[in-house]
């Protein structure tokens, strides 16, 4: 039990630099941009990013969901959820989609 608490505390410490309101707002705006572009014209969005395959679609959905969880300020306690919903990973994926969209 103590090992799990230590891992959770280390993950909390790793995520502490991302615990800023400005970063949360920026991530939220980027996620809303991608959601709105995808929902407005999904075919045009897919063409713009070079098409979707199964892996890209899963990464896209996961990154958007993870970013929304981070943006609203939810902080998971268990270390596995902290890794799964890490803003570091979802941020890289959203930056990748932003670069593909431009």
């Amino acid at each position: 039990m103590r090992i799990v608490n230590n891992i959770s505390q280390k993950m909390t410490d790793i995520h502490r630099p991302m615990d800023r309101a400005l970063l949360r707002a920026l991530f939220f705006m980027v996620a809303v941009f991608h959601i709105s572009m995808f929902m407005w014209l999904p075919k045009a969005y897919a063409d713009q990013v070079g098409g979707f395959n199964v892996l890209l679609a899963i990464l896209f959905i996961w990154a958007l969901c993870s970013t929304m969880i981070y943006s609203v300020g939810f902080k998971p306690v268990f270390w596995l959820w902290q890794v799964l919903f890490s803003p570091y990973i979802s941020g890289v994926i959203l930056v990748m989609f932003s670069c593909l969209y431009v």
Side-chain angles (χ1 to χ4, degrees):
M1 187 65 161
R2 183 173 168 89
I3 293 172
V4 172
N5 288 339
N6 288 341
I7 294 172
S8 294
Q9 184 58 43
K10 287 187 190 304
M11 290 306 300
T12 301
D13 293 342
I14 289 171
H15 286 107
R16 187 164 287 126
M18 296 294 288
D19 195 16
R20 305 282 184 264
L22 186 59
L23 283 175
R24 289 181 192 279
L26 179 65
F27 272 60
F28 182 78
M29 288 187 296
V30 171
V32 167
F33 168 77
H34 284 287
I35 290 169
S36 61
M37 291 295 107
F38 181 74
M39 295 301 287
W40 187 16
L41 291 171
K43 178 77 170 129
Y45 183 84
D47 291 341
Q48 191 75 21
V49 297
F52 277 112
N53 58 26
V54 173
L55 179 63
L56 280 180
I58 290 171
L59 283 176
F60 181 70
I61 293 168
W62 172 78
L64 291 175
C65 293
S66 179
T67 301
M68 286 298 166
I69 289 170
Y70 163 70
S71 295
V72 299
F74 180 73
K75 296 178 186 174
V77 176
F78 187 58
W79 68 269
L80 181 62
W81 300 123
Q82 290 177 358
V83 171
L84 186 64
F85 299 120
S86 174
Y88 293 113
I89 300 169
S90 63
V92 169
I93 295 170
L94 282 183
V95 166
M96 179 192 74
F97 274 102
S98 296
C99 291
L100 288 174
Y101 187 79
V102 173

